[in-house]
Amino acid sequence: LSHGYTMMGTGQHLWFLSEHYRLTGDTQWWRDLTPNVENICQWVGKQCRKTMRKDARGVDVPEYGLVPPGTVADWQDWGYIFSMEGYYYAGLSRAAEALKEIGDPRAREFAKDAAGLKESIQRAYKWTQSLAPVIPRGDGTWVPNYPMRLFKPGPCEQFFPNYSGAWIYDVELGAHHLVDEGVLDPRSKDVDWMADHMENVQFMGGSTTSGALSAAASQKDWFNMGGFPKSQPYYGRYPELCALRDDIKPFIRSYFNQLSVMFNREDLSLYENPGASVWNKTHETGHFLQQTRQVCEAQHIRPI
């Protein structure tokens, strides 16, 4: 949807269109949109088939069935990024479900493509994870790594030492997105380890944070300063991960902790980064509203 910036937007929008139909039940709107949705779904399946290759031994290559390399956010390093791949799966699978509801004859085809993409992402993720060294959880124990992209079995900052912001992508656009996107089981042991490491290590400050958001400050006041990443919090999907696991208290803590550092008291908008930078950011506002809707749905409250 945008040239030269990010490749995950198409999958995101396909997902959100389907979600809009689910929430509103506007069948006529969805029927009017169907030709465009079908074109996008067909395109995603076509992209996935481009990577369905075998190596010289006749074995599926690690990227088999994935959407070809793309970028996420500001980083212009192209790769098989799991959060991006997951957005395509989420969009394709949700669209197939919605198309099935209105009797679209191609819904079965798109659902099959979505299932294949999910399997490919899981296989590529596990393959990369199997090559990565274990990481300290912060309590004296070690857990499996949860890499954010194929062929990079470990933290991005170790593979891109000259890029100071690489660590941000491990935290805010990392593999935990796959939980919200429906690729990883939120109640699996893998996600248990992931959530523990994010809470105990990743949310305790990073190499570019300082002052009230520094590692030392976060560790000192771990309850009030924990539960959210420190660069661009609303890029992360940790509150959604907690909601899918029915971890109500951690969800509420993350929801309010990140809001408190992102809220602009001058004009009641949300910043892009904690306490500074771009204000009245549409991206942050949208995800805040989405998380607020999750609170309402959990409490069976109809949003106004």
Side-chain angles (χ1 to χ4, degrees):
L1 280 173
S2 55
H3 175 69
Y5 179 71
T6 176
M7 284 297 293
M8 70 182 187
T10 301
Q12 274 185 316
H13 282 71
L14 187 59
W15 181 6
F16 298 160
L17 290 172
S18 307
E19 185 75 351
H20 178 79
Y21 166 67
R22 183 184 74 84
L23 290 171
T24 64
D26 192 340
T27 303
Q28 187 57 54
W29 173 84
W30 184 243
R31 288 186 183 280
D32 292 341
L33 203 64
T34 293
N36 290 332
V37 171
E38 285 184 333
N39 285 340
I40 300 173
C41 290
Q42 184 179 15
W43 180 84
V44 174
K46 183 178 179 180
Q47 300 310 303
C48 292
R49 285 185 279 278
K50 290 180 179 179
T51 62
M52 293 181 179
R53 299 179 292 103
K54 297 184 181 295
D55 62 18
R57 299 168 299 169
V59 178
D60 292 346
V61 294
E63 67 272 25
Y64 184 94
L66 297 181
V67 176
T71 63
V72 295
D74 297 326
W75 199 9
Q76 287 299 297
D77 189 84
W78 290 59
Y80 295 98
I81 300 167
F82 292 127
S83 61
M84 181 196 78
E85 300 287 341
Y87 274 121
Y88 280 104
Y89 163 71
L92 192 57
S93 61
R94 268 56 160 209
E97 292 173 3
L99 290 172
K100 181 180 179 181
E101 285 190 16
I102 62 170
D104 189 287
R106 303 195 65 181
R108 185 188 296 270
E109 170 195 344
F110 299 145
K112 183 179 179 180
D113 286 344
L117 177 54
K118 179 179 180 178
E119 183 179 344
S120 294
I121 297 171
Q122 291 174 334
R123 182 177 59 248
Y125 173 74
K126 285 295 185 181
W127 181 84
T128 308
Q129 187 183 51
S130 72
L131 301 176
V134 293
I135 50 179
R137 183 158 47 179
D139 60 358
T141 62
W142 298 66
V143 297
N145 207 319
Y146 44 105
M148 67 87 68
R149 56 192 291 173
L150 183 63
F151 301 123
K152 298 293 183 292
C156 278
E157 59 186 333
Q158 295 180 7
F159 290 93
F160 301 91
N162 295 323
Y163 179 47
S164 61
W167 67 274
I168 297 172
Y169 291 85
D170 283 316
V171 185
E172 300 182 6
L173 280 163
H176 76 283
H177 279 249
L178 295 176
V179 181
D180 187 38
E181 293 160 344
V183 178
L184 295 182
D185 181 356
R187 299 186 181 277
S188 66
K189 194 63 180 176
D190 218 356
V191 177
D192 287 344
W193 293 325
M194 183 186 298
D196 282 350
H197 185 264
M198 293 181 76
E199 281 278 6
N200 296 341
V201 179
Q202 301 285 44
F203 295 158
M204 290 295 103
S207 57
T208 63
T209 56
S210 60
L213 297 178
S214 68
S218 297
Q219 292 165 10
K220 182 178 180 180
D221 190 11
W222 61 268
F223 185 84
N224 294 306
M225 297 308 299
F228 67 95
K230 299 298 191 292
S231 177
Q232 193 172 341
Y234 281 105
Y235 248 127
R237 300 273 74 82
Y238 186 70
E240 287 83 350
L241 180 150
C242 291
L244 289 168
R245 290 163 57 84
D246 285 333
D247 284 342
I248 297 173
K249 291 183 178 179
F251 172 86
I252 293 174
R253 171 171 169 259
S254 294
Y255 174 84
F256 282 109
N257 280 2
Q258 69 179 11
L259 178 61
S260 67
V261 301
M262 296 290 285
F263 188 62
N264 183 348
R265 290 179 293 177
E266 182 177 346
D267 61 7
L268 309 184
S269 69
L270 293 176
Y271 288 114
E272 180 178 34
N273 310 102
S277 186
V278 180
W279 56 274
N280 197 22
K281 188 76 184 302
T282 305
H283 172 273
E284 275 60 36
T285 302
H287 281 296
F288 163 69
L289 292 174
Q290 178 173 305
Q291 291 171 11
T292 302
R293 178 170 62 80
Q294 287 182 306
V295 175
C296 295
E297 287 186 341
Q299 298 298 322
H300 304 290
I301 301 170
R302 183 174 178 81
I304 299 175

